[in-house]
Amino acid sequence: MDDLLADFIEETREMLEASESEIVAWEANPADRARLDAIFRFVHTVKGNCGFFDFPRLEKLSHAAEDALSDVRNGRRDADSALVTAVLHIIDRIADMVTAIEANNDFPEGGDEALIAALAPSASDAPLVGETRATAPAVMSAGDTDIHTAATPRSIRLPVELLDRVMSGVSDMVLARNDLAHRLQEAGNQPMVDGPFERLSGILKDVRDAITRMRMQRIEHLYSPIPRLVRDLSADLGKQVMVDLDGRDVELDREMIEMMRDPITHIIRNAVDHGFEKPSDRLKAGKREIGLLSIGARQAGNKISISIRDDGRGLDERRIAEKAVKTGTIIPAELEAMSREKVLDLIFAPGFSTAEEVSAVSGRGVGLDVVRDNLEKIGGKIRVSSVPGEGTSFFLQIPLTLSIIAGLTLKVGGQRFVVPQSYVEEIVRLRGENAAIEDMGDTTLVTFRDQRVRMVSLADVLGIKADVARERANLLILRLATGDLFALAVDQVQNSSDIVVKPLPPAIMASGIYCGSTLLDDGQPILLLDIPHIAQSHNLMTEERTRTAQMVDESATEADSPANRAMLFSTLGGQRRLVRLELVKRIETVAAKAIDQTGRQCRAVIDGEILPVIGIEDQTRLVGYIRLLRLTDGMSEVLYAVDKVEDAVDLTNELIHVDEADPLIQSVTLIEQESVALIDSHKLFAAHGALPKQVTSKTCKLPDNDWAMSILVPLVESAGYRPVFEADSGTSDIEITLDQVETIATSKTVIALRSAPDDQVSEGERSRSIYRYDREGLVASLRLAGKGEAA
């Protein structure tokens, strides 16, 4: 196949795949001009490429879609579900044609006219023949960013097999370099060789980093087809589902992304088919008509965690148990001894399904067992939790399959191991006077340089006998990502080198002690220690941080009875308070200077969002770092400044309603024989919740040039206006012009901008216009105009 044609096929596929999710998201928010522009550019590029390669059918289809989108951009028609469906059908047809071109096959004639006709406004009332109109769009969350509007960097395409060969070769070069370094060290001082060897090591490091990045892809490539998938499924099933995608910046090996595509698709299809109720049933149950499917990803140590949550009907434990007994998966005697978690785990049994009928979506009993098998093959795992009537959550964990890191080799009990050098803060040799060891119950503390840190012997962790007495051991002072320090006692610290980390079988990974394997300079295999898990399992983290990590870790969340659990914390004023645990999204730590205390409401920027902060008195002086509880009710968020997070507790004692001066207090209960107030969730979010940005109906007309797009659009949006341009038809509430005007129009407000600053113009000009870079003046004029006052 011609190279140019192959590039066309690959590039077209990438653009069409990306445009699908953008179109579905745009349908939910038609006022998003930036997203509409991005979709238009996609279709325009495809049309141009088709014309270049003389594919008239492709060019005709893309040209029709481009015309329809152009009408929307210019205000000649409104976006609706029928238009979105028609554009998606055009994209599907183009994708099928591209596949035929790649296989050098003829694509059947006919059908194009019906697709093009469906784009016309008059066709908006009738679905395509043989197609189901999508009435339940899957929409993106308000916080999603448009990743396609940025300029695309120059790139070339390479076969994955070639990247695999290069990566394998670089890994072998790292091991060979380590072997050579070991031999040079044994040979003694070699000035003729040392210089070139150092240069070679530096070059190899750069090549290694570049090759590693080449194999990594952001998880957004896994996310891109999800909105379209959910949209089509929900339309076929007569449901309404909203999609919230989080963690787009998490990077995975491209092979891992392909491996995860089918398992995640299985789970999403099951959620839409079985998990979500019909809109009428949701309303009867007191829920929103539109269901929420939340998918998030995060990296924790050497693992990637992916959570998939729905707020549907939840799993029916009784029904699962009955079906398992009926199909012979378990016997009644086994069922009696099974916990709820074990019963829910039965959904992963081969051939298990609770569906009464087989549909095109699910019900054949093929899916979740395959999901678990595929994950276990790559060293991953999956867990499910569910609350009847509230929803179901799947938690997936997958390992990082291949990486090259700096490692420190150590020895204990005659065996060698390696730890990631990123954890090593310092190496201390115990020689009596420079450090003191003391046992306090089950905890061992070591004091050196006036510091006291917890200590554990690696020999004790592994259950072997050390060759060196504890008082003469070598200590690795390790710092975790949480900031905690602890000491690991070993017999000997050997050397530091770059190591190629490879995965271990799941049974070994499950021990919580090892997280990979590697080869040493001499070719001997050794195991890589899992430092965070060792610290947590041996209580080497401070108690507060351990509790915090357990409470916010999604894969360890207990979902049996979340409504009866609460987080206990101390406010900045020293009072102990409770907040229901299901409201706690996570715990943030920010610098005090990052909290804005200038207005009536304190604010902080978290993950690119401006959120309100409560719990800070007017005169409170904030220094250092502040811990914030990030609370959410599913629709809005608020940050609660706290002094200390104490524990997650069960609300087993009676809740007594009280009439407190503080309006946020709902009731009090006994915690550790002390009366502690429980925060009223409803009042908290009613008074302080930061709701998602709403689409404003007020418009501001701007000059149609690049300067206005770059400079004025953000200012206009921040003042509460939706920007439109001179080329767009229709009226606007306010207009900004680069031409000076003598009078203000009576039908609408006109704000004139000038190029000269205030000190270079006359008083008359200053009164009639605003300096184009006077941000405060322009925003103030816009807001005054919004209140009906003269600018």
Side-chain angles (χ1 to χ4, degrees):
M1 183 183 297
D2 183 79
D3 289 342
L4 285 176
L5 182 59
D7 288 343
F8 160 75
I9 291 172
E10 188 66 27
E11 185 175 320
T12 302
R13 279 180 173 161
E14 288 180 0
M15 287 191 294
L16 293 178
E17 181 180 341
S19 65
E20 283 186 351
S21 61
E22 292 296 303
I23 292 172
V24 175
W26 168 64
E27 179 186 21
N29 182 11
D32 190 341
R33 177 61 183 251
R35 186 160 260 137
L36 174 59
D37 290 342
I39 298 167
F40 182 83
R41 286 195 297 272
F42 285 140
V43 178
H44 179 76
T45 303
V46 171
K47 185 195 75 171
N49 290 345
C50 292
F52 178 80
F53 284 95
D54 193 23
F55 295 132
R57 290 183 65 185
L58 290 178
E59 185 179 8
K60 186 177 181 181
L61 287 168
S62 56
H63 184 74
E66 181 187 33
D67 286 345
L69 293 172
S70 179
D71 288 343
V72 177
R73 293 179 78 207
N74 295 325
R76 291 190 288 270
R77 66 180 294 187
D78 295 328
D80 54 25
S81 182
L83 173 62
V84 172
T85 301
V87 173
L88 288 173
H89 286 316
I90 292 283
I91 287 177
D92 290 340
R93 176 61 64 92
I94 292 175
D96 293 340
M97 289 182 174
V98 168
T99 300
I101 292 171
E102 183 180 30
N104 200 24
N105 295 331
D106 293 331
F107 193 82
E109 295 291 336
D112 295 356
E113 291 75 13
L115 293 172
I116 294 173
L119 292 168
S122 60
S124 61
D125 296 329
L128 295 177
V129 177
E131 300 289 350
T132 303
R133 182 191 292 179
T135 58
V139 300
M140 309 288 280
S141 66
D144 283 341
T145 56
D146 182 7
I147 60 170
H148 303 293
T149 57
T152 303
R154 297 177 60 188
S155 62
I156 61 172
R157 294 178 178 86
L158 296 173
V160 175
E161 295 77 10
L162 178 58
L163 288 179
D164 289 339
R165 287 176 55 191
V166 174
M167 188 66 183
S168 177
V170 170
S171 299
D172 291 339
M173 288 171 64
V174 170
L175 295 175
R177 192 278 311 272
N178 293 346
D179 186 20
L180 179 59
H182 182 69
R183 294 174 185 269
L184 288 175
Q185 187 177 12
E186 291 181 340
N189 188 23
Q190 300 286 335
M192 296 291 292
V193 179
D194 289 345
F197 177 76
E198 290 300 324
R199 289 198 301 274
L200 176 63
S201 297
I203 295 171
L204 181 57
K205 181 180 182 300
D206 293 338
V207 173
R208 177 201 70 189
D209 293 341
I211 296 298
T212 301
R213 288 196 300 269
M214 286 170 60
R215 283 200 54 89
M216 302 298 285
Q217 281 188 340
R218 285 165 44 148
I219 204 170
E220 66 189 9
H221 292 278
L222 183 62
Y223 284 170
S224 57
I226 291 177
R228 172 76 187 277
L229 170 67
V230 174
R231 180 187 188 274
D232 292 348
L233 283 177
S234 57
D236 291 342
L237 298 170
K239 300 178 180 180
Q240 297 185 25
V241 181
M242 179 172 67
V243 181
D244 181 17
L245 302 175
D246 187 27
R248 291 175 178 271
D249 293 335
V250 172
E251 289 191 336
L252 286 173
D253 186 283
R254 66 181 64 220
E255 291 283 335
M256 186 62 70
I257 286 181
E258 293 305 317
M259 291 178 183
M260 294 302 298
R261 200 177 296 278
D262 285 343
I264 289 179
T265 299
H266 275 302
I267 295 173
I268 292 174
R269 293 173 71 90
N270 277 346
V272 177
D273 190 15
H274 298 306
F276 291 107
E277 310 94 330
K278 298 281 187 180
S280 57
D281 295 335
R282 291 181 62 87
L283 290 175
K284 291 178 183 177
K287 298 181 178 180
R288 291 188 305 165
E289 191 176 12
I290 301 176
L292 177 63
L293 179 67
S294 301
I295 304 173
R298 62 187 178 89
Q299 182 174 351
N302 67 319
K303 294 186 178 74
I304 300 295
S305 297
I306 300 175
S307 63
I308 305 175
R309 294 172 168 151
D310 67 71
D311 64 348
R313 60 172 59 93
L315 296 177
D316 189 333
E317 179 185 354
R318 180 187 58 80
R319 191 176 176 191
I320 293 173
E322 290 176 353
K323 192 64 177 283
V325 172
K326 182 179 179 180
T327 57
T329 305
I330 57 173
I331 61 176
E334 290 178 310
L335 179 60
E336 294 178 2
M338 293 178 71
S339 63
R340 170 177 168 78
E341 183 180 359
K342 293 292 185 183
V343 172
L344 296 181
D345 204 50
L346 291 173
I347 64 175
F348 297 106
F352 185 85
S353 175
T354 58
E356 299 296 336
E357 298 179 357
V358 174
S359 69
V361 178
S362 58
R364 300 182 182 275
V366 178
L368 290 180
D369 60 321
V370 177
V371 169
R372 172 169 280 185
D373 289 344
N374 289 344
L375 286 173
E376 289 181 347
K377 286 177 183 178
I378 59 175
K381 58 184 179 180
I382 183 172
R383 188 181 68 83
V384 63
S385 67
S386 182
V387 180
E390 296 186 15
T392 302
S393 300
F394 286 89
F395 301 104
L396 292 74
Q397 279 195 342
I398 53 178
L400 298 178
T401 57
L402 182 67
S403 59
I404 305 176
I405 63 173
L408 185 66
T409 307
L410 52 88
K411 196 171 185 179
V412 62
Q415 302 181 35
R416 289 186 293 183
F417 301 92
V418 66
V419 298
Q421 194 165 319
S422 58
Y423 290 111
V424 180
E425 187 84 359
E426 190 174 355
I427 301 175
V428 179
R429 180 169 297 179
L430 291 179
R431 290 296 181 266
E433 296 181 357
N434 67 335
I437 299 175
E438 54 184 322
D439 296 315
M440 300 182 64
D442 296 333
T443 303
T444 301
L445 299 175
V446 59
T447 303
F448 71 100
R449 297 179 187 164
D450 299 325
Q451 278 189 298
R452 294 182 83 195
V453 297
R454 302 187 184 199
M455 175 185 127
V456 68
S457 169
L458 181 58
D460 294 338
V461 172
L462 302 174
I464 60 178
K465 185 178 180 180
D467 293 335
V468 177
R470 188 177 71 170
E471 290 72 18
R472 299 185 61 82
N474 294 281
L475 294 184
L476 297 181
I477 308 301
L478 306 176
R479 184 180 294 276
L480 303 173
T482 59
D484 290 298
L485 286 173
F486 76 92
L488 185 68
V490 299
D491 293 346
Q492 184 181 354
V493 178
Q494 296 189 322
N495 64 316
S496 173
S497 62
D498 289 336
I499 59 172
V500 180
V501 181
K502 298 186 178 181
L504 291 168
I508 299 179
M509 298 277 284
S511 68
I513 299 177
Y514 311 108
C515 60
S517 64
T518 188
L519 296 177
L520 288 182
D521 301 341
D522 55 9
Q524 294 296 316
I526 62 171
L527 295 172
L528 179 69
L529 298 175
D530 191 338
I531 297 302
H533 275 86
I534 291 175
Q536 188 167 346
S537 60
H538 288 78
N539 298 319
L540 299 173
M541 302 168 66
T542 63
E543 293 183 8
E544 180 183 336
R545 291 187 183 275
T546 303
R547 293 193 192 104
T548 300
Q550 292 171 345
M551 286 186 283
V552 299
D553 187 351
E554 293 172 334
S555 62
T557 300
E558 297 180 9
D560 292 340
S561 182
N564 293 322
R565 289 176 64 78
M567 179 176 288
L568 177 64
F569 64 92
S570 299
T571 68
L572 295 180
Q575 298 88 11
R576 300 178 87 193
R577 292 286 186 266
L578 292 165
V579 63
R580 294 192 181 276
L581 194 57
E582 68 268 23
L583 300 177
V584 182
K585 184 175 182 179
R586 60 176 177 264
I587 301 174
E588 311 278 2
T589 301
V590 302
K593 62 183 180 182
I595 299 178
D596 181 9
Q597 294 180 267
T598 56
R600 289 179 297 176
Q601 173 74 67
C602 296
R603 298 172 298 273
V605 178
I606 302 291
D607 297 336
E609 295 183 50
I610 302 175
L611 299 177
V613 181
I614 63 173
I616 301 176
E617 300 295 334
D618 293 341
Q619 304 301 322
T620 303
R621 177 178 171 80
L622 301 179
V623 294
Y625 287 86
I626 304 299
R627 183 156 295 162
L628 303 170
L629 297 183
R630 187 169 183 175
L631 309 176
T632 179
D633 63 351
M635 295 184 63
S636 60
E637 294 188 359
V638 65
L639 303 172
Y640 200 125
V642 302
D643 178 55
K644 182 172 62 174
V645 178
E646 297 190 30
D647 206 348
V649 298
D650 295 314
L651 298 178
T652 55
N653 294 320
E654 180 183 4
L655 294 174
I656 303 173
H657 291 272
V658 293
D659 185 12
E660 289 278 342
D662 187 345
L664 296 185
I665 300 303
Q666 174 186 2
S667 54
V668 296
T669 188
L670 283 178
I671 301 292
E672 300 172 354
Q673 301 304 310
E674 179 183 340
S675 176
V676 181
L678 175 67
I679 291 174
D680 189 319
S681 308
H682 183 273
K683 292 182 179 178
L684 171 69
F685 286 101
H688 303 286
L691 291 174
K693 294 180 180 178
Q694 302 295 318
V695 178
T696 179
S697 60
K698 296 186 298 182
T699 58
C700 177
K701 182 167 287 189
L702 305 176
D704 199 353
N705 56 43
D706 292 340
W707 184 84
M709 178 69 72
S710 303
I711 303 298
L712 293 182
V713 167
L715 293 181
V716 166
E717 290 177 338
S718 68
Y721 290 86
R722 178 169 60 87
V724 296
F725 295 89
E726 292 175 346
D728 299 331
S729 60
T731 61
S732 60
D733 297 289
I734 190 171
E735 181 178 354
I736 296 179
T737 176
L738 298 181
D739 301 320
Q740 297 183 22
V741 294
E742 298 296 333
T743 60
I744 302 298
T746 57
S747 59
K748 59 184 175 181
T749 302
V750 178
I751 299 177
L753 302 183
R754 50 181 159 76
S755 57
D758 291 351
D759 59 357
Q760 297 180 16
V761 297
S762 65
E763 184 177 348
E765 288 181 286
R766 286 200 298 270
S767 65
R768 296 193 305 270
S769 59
I770 299 174
Y771 178 42
R772 63 171 61 192
Y773 291 111
D774 183 0
R775 176 189 178 94
E776 291 76 13
L778 178 55
V779 173
S781 295
L782 287 167
R783 288 176 175 167
L784 285 174
K787 297 177 181 178
E789 303 176 33

